[in-house]
Amino acid sequence: MHSSLLSKSFIFIPRKPFSPVCKFASMSKIAPSKTRLRGVVFDMDGTLTVPVIDFAAMYRAVLGEHEYKRIKAESPSGIDILHHIERWSPDKQRSAYQAIADYERQGLDRLQIMPGAAELYGFLDSKKIRRGLITRNVKEAVDLFHQRFGITFSPALSREFRPYKPDPAPLLHICSMWQVQPNEVMMVGDSLRDDVACGKGAGAFTCLLDETGRYSPADFEKLDLKPDFTVSSLTEVYSLLESNFDLTP
């Protein structure tokens, strides 16, 4: 696993950067204390669930082929379809949201949990670490996820909560509900533009799930978004948390 760890700051109160304890450090030195982790917030689609929605087809259906190609050329790292729709007239918005809902409904029929998600949920539960969820999908999809796989994330905010990712508001709302500081929380997701941006904006730690090597350092630099950690599967998150954080209840 290749991961990078950036210094973080408390809201309003600066603190010194920390680094994982090196196994080659001299035993005569006092190991730096680990940061307390009190909650982990997950994205849903592509993070807790296997990607099943054909987003390219959905974007074409909503935007039209010409507009889709133009926007994709301007934003090769990803299209924020909801952001574009917000600028449209009410009638055009309704039509667009209906098209999106149709694709999302098809995705619900094929909903699958991501390998390692249930085990990671159990690990966090055993450590009494809170688990939240933020998605740009609809509440119906979140409810089905909870029901089908028998695991619950709370709070679980869907796109009915405004403003949605990448705005940090939903993550700050969860921190407020938990009564914890954002720098005691980690945001885990597969989108640099949505999940990492949301976490960074809130002042939380960030972990990018990049199963296919989609992102490169050039992408981090271009968007000025560098996750604190990068993993290729959820099973890697166990050791990441234990190595770098105080997980004491």
Side-chain angles (χ1 to χ4, degrees), residues 41 131-134 146 153-157 170 173-175 177-178:
V41 179
R131 304 159 305 279
L133 185 153
I134 301 173
H146 286 155
F153 294 79
S154 181
L157 304 181
H173 176 76
I174 289 178
C175 291
M177 294 288 290
W178 285 345

Side-chain angles (χ1 to χ4, degrees), residues 4-5 8 18 34 40 48 51 86 97 101 147 155 168 189 210 223 241 245:
S4 60
L5 181 59
K8 309 294 291 187
F18 77 98
K34 296 179 181 179
V40 180
L48 292 175
E86 285 183 341
Y97 284 128
Q147 294 166 8
D210 188 5
L223 296 175
L241 296 179
F245 296 96

